[in-house]
Amino acid sequence: MNQNIEIINKYLWAVKFSFLPFISEINYVPDDTVPVDEEVGQLLDTGIILLNKEHKLFEVYKDGFCRIMNKSNRQIKNELSNAKRIPNKDKWQILYMEMLKLEQKRRKIERGE
């Protein structure tokens, strides 16, 4: 495996997106219209979430996804349901909801849905 790829767990990897053109193991090309340090990450068609180590909130996303990935499907569903009831969510609540949704989507890909 390429030394530039940090494998956090089986489904969560991290890499500097500016290195992606030189990493043949990852089949993803970043969006040229988005500055490389502003792209958070990507859900690959293999069911792996690829985080951008150059994003300013990389550590927040890394920690958050590690915690979310340990939750059961039921826990994720309940947390999303509860979050929908919160009016006027702050930016961190919105971010957490989006991370929960992405993990749900990742699990569907993993199951082949």
Side-chain angles (χ1 to χ4, degrees):
M1 184 61 69
N2 190 307
Q3 66 186 16
N4 293 308
I5 301 171
E6 177 184 352
I7 299 178
I8 301 160
N9 67 43
K10 184 177 179 180
Y11 303 108
L12 185 63
W13 295 6
V15 67
K16 290 183 177 184
F17 274 30
S18 61
F19 290 0
L20 281 174
F22 311 106
I23 301 174
S24 61
E25 293 90 344
I26 298 174
N27 188 21
Y28 172 68
V29 179
D31 184 349
D32 289 339
T33 63
V34 179
V36 73
D37 62 336
E38 290 182 18
E39 190 167 4
V40 173
Q42 192 63 240
L43 176 59
L44 304 178
D45 57 2
T46 57
I48 293 171
I49 295 175
L50 182 65
L51 295 178
N52 183 2
K53 291 177 114 176
E54 295 169 301
H55 191 275
K56 64 184 175 187
L57 295 177
F58 166 71
E59 291 296 331
V60 172
Y61 283 102
K62 178 181 172 181
D63 182 58
F65 276 115
C66 286
R67 292 172 190 259
I68 289 169
M69 287 178 165
N70 286 323
K71 295 181 182 291
S72 69
N73 290 334
R74 185 178 197 163
Q75 287 174 309
I76 291 173
K77 185 178 177 181
N78 287 341
E79 286 191 31
L80 280 170
S81 178
N82 292 337
K84 288 178 184 175
R85 295 185 205 134
I86 300 171
N88 304 321
K89 294 172 196 60
D90 65 28
K91 66 180 180 180
W92 297 109
Q93 290 169 318
I94 293 168
L95 176 94
Y96 186 68
M97 278 185 64
E98 293 304 315
M99 291 172 70
L100 288 168
K101 289 177 187 176
L102 187 63
E103 176 58 11
Q104 273 187 327
K105 187 174 179 180
R106 187 202 64 76
R107 290 180 185 193
K108 285 181 181 179
I109 290 171
E110 179 187 359
R111 291 189 301 263
E113 295 178 19

